[in-house]
Amino acid sequence: MRLLPFGGSRLGLDPGASTVRVFLDGHGPVLEEPAVIARRLGGAVVAAGAEAARYLGRTPDGLEAVHPLEAGLMADYEAARALFRELFRRAAAGPGLHRPRVAVCTPPGATPVECRALGETLQEAGARRVRFLPGLLAAAVGAGFSLESGRPRLLLDLGYGASRAAVVEGPGIRTVESAPGGREMDLALGRWILEAHGLRVGPASLEHAKRRLGTARPPGGAEPRADVAGSRPGGFPTTVTLSGADVRACLAPLLARVAEAVTAAAAALEPGPRAVAGAAGLTLVGEGARLPGLCDYLREATGFLAEVADEPERAAARGAAEALRQRRLRPLLRKA
């Protein structure tokens, strides 16, 4: 992605399992690239981000392409450090971004050791100062929540590694319930295609099929259809035609678990606060929030009115950058 020539020194970093996003406060995204690293089997890194993603499912001999993050955590420590070092170096290379301050979104379960390692990596790549804040709080800020009001709000973050339903109350997270994310949905679709058609489909094609055909509820008109490329046993390439109904049937049990997570998160509140949160509705963030029909599906399944935040996939990175600027939000930031 082309870096934007804006001055400024406050960056929000969202290290998602699928995509790493860097947001420049007051201007917009300066980098959005796949969270993928390509390396030689001996360990030497040869590509990161979009360049490395080209190798997924088609790596030549002696190379492997990996997602080093799992739900925002470092699943492959050295590969994750290499990924952040390279991508952040690109993001911080724009004019006016000399040694920026950085706020990093962290998922539930992030350890001080992981945060410290990431902070050191970013400083090596050019950051002046690195602070951390919970990714769900960053997404709440980016979605426009007023944390000073103290009123409980319902937030659903539909990420690639995991979905998380949370109650945001004041400057904190009251409760979090986890559910399947985009990766698990892709895998479910891949298993169904293999069982029904004997076809193995790569990760990129599965994600493309889900985005093109996936819906949470039946469309008003004809079901969309598309050809999906894969290979038969023995490596013979071929295609299969899928319909929106096929994809929706694969997603249905996983979306039901997402709805159950929302219901469970709200149930942790007493009746009065639950009514307040319910009246404000459910706000959707994350890259999965754009699934057609999802708001109507969640309203029917949970009873809560749902709406998608503005640019939902960028909410966390945007909120992290804003936390560096707004004095009232700085108490959310922590050292590693």
Side-chain angles (χ1 to χ4, degrees):
M1 177 176 181
R2 184 176 64 87
L3 298 180
L4 303 178
F6 292 128
S9 60
R10 294 179 294 267
L11 295 178
L13 170 63
D14 179 14
S18 170
T19 305
V20 175
R21 292 184 168 87
V22 181
F23 196 94
L24 174 60
D25 181 53
H27 295 288
V30 293
L31 182 139
E32 293 180 323
E33 294 210 25
V36 181
I37 202 86
R39 62 189 175 189
R40 301 195 184 281
L41 297 183
V45 173
V46 298
E51 183 181 355
R54 296 183 304 171
Y55 292 109
L56 285 172
R58 59 185 73 177
T59 49
D61 290 343
L63 286 181
E64 63 175 353
V66 297
H67 286 281
L69 306 177
E70 181 67 43
L73 298 174
M74 291 184 177
D76 186 322
Y77 184 81
E78 291 303 326
R81 289 198 63 169
L83 174 71
F84 286 125
R85 185 181 300 114
E86 175 58 27
L87 293 188
F88 186 77
R89 184 176 289 118
R90 296 179 198 172
L97 292 179
H98 178 66
R99 296 192 62 77
R101 289 175 290 162
V102 184
V104 182
C105 305
T106 59
T111 67
V113 172
E114 288 175 313
C115 291
R116 196 156 44 244
L118 178 52
E120 292 171 356
T121 300
L122 295 177
Q123 287 181 314
E124 291 169 4
R128 180 184 0 156
R129 188 179 69 191
V130 180
R131 294 293 184 265
F132 299 86
L133 77 164
L136 288 169
L137 277 182
V141 171
F145 284 21
S146 174
L147 303 186
E148 294 87 354
S149 71
R151 298 189 186 93
R153 294 287 304 272
L154 293 172
L155 182 74
L156 177 59
D157 182 5
L158 295 127
Y160 183 69
S163 295
R164 296 185 177 96
V167 174
V168 180
E169 190 169 20
I173 302 296
R174 173 74 174 268
T175 186
V176 179
E177 297 288 340
S178 295
R183 175 182 290 155
E184 196 166 339
M185 295 178 187
D186 290 351
L187 292 175
L189 178 59
R191 287 192 297 268
W192 180 83
I193 295 173
L194 181 61
E195 293 170 1
H197 299 281
L199 195 69
R200 295 187 183 278
V201 180
S205 295
L206 289 172
E207 178 69 11
H208 179 72
K210 183 184 69 179
R211 290 180 181 275
R212 184 171 179 182
L213 300 175
T215 59
R217 300 174 76 247
E223 291 280 2
R225 304 179 72 84
D227 291 337
V228 178
S231 61
R232 303 279 185 196
F236 299 105
T238 186
T239 62
V240 63
T241 300
L242 300 183
S243 70
D246 295 329
V247 177
R248 189 166 56 254
C250 293
L251 300 184
L254 302 178
L255 291 178
R257 289 168 59 187
V258 171
E260 289 167 2
V262 172
T263 301
L269 293 169
E270 296 296 326
R274 190 186 313 150
V276 171
L282 173 67
T283 300
L284 277 55
V285 297
E287 54 192 56
R290 295 185 184 273
L291 182 70
L294 184 56
C295 286
D296 288 340
Y297 171 86
L298 290 170
R299 176 179 54 79
E300 294 173 359
T302 69
F304 298 119
L305 290 175
E307 65 173 1
V308 178
D310 182 44
E311 295 187 316
E313 63 280 347
R314 294 172 178 165
R318 181 170 58 242
E322 186 175 342
L324 287 170
R325 172 171 50 87
Q326 298 276 3
R327 184 178 298 274
R328 60 187 175 81
L329 297 175
R330 289 178 189 168
L332 302 178
L333 301 171
R334 295 287 184 269
K335 296 181 180 179

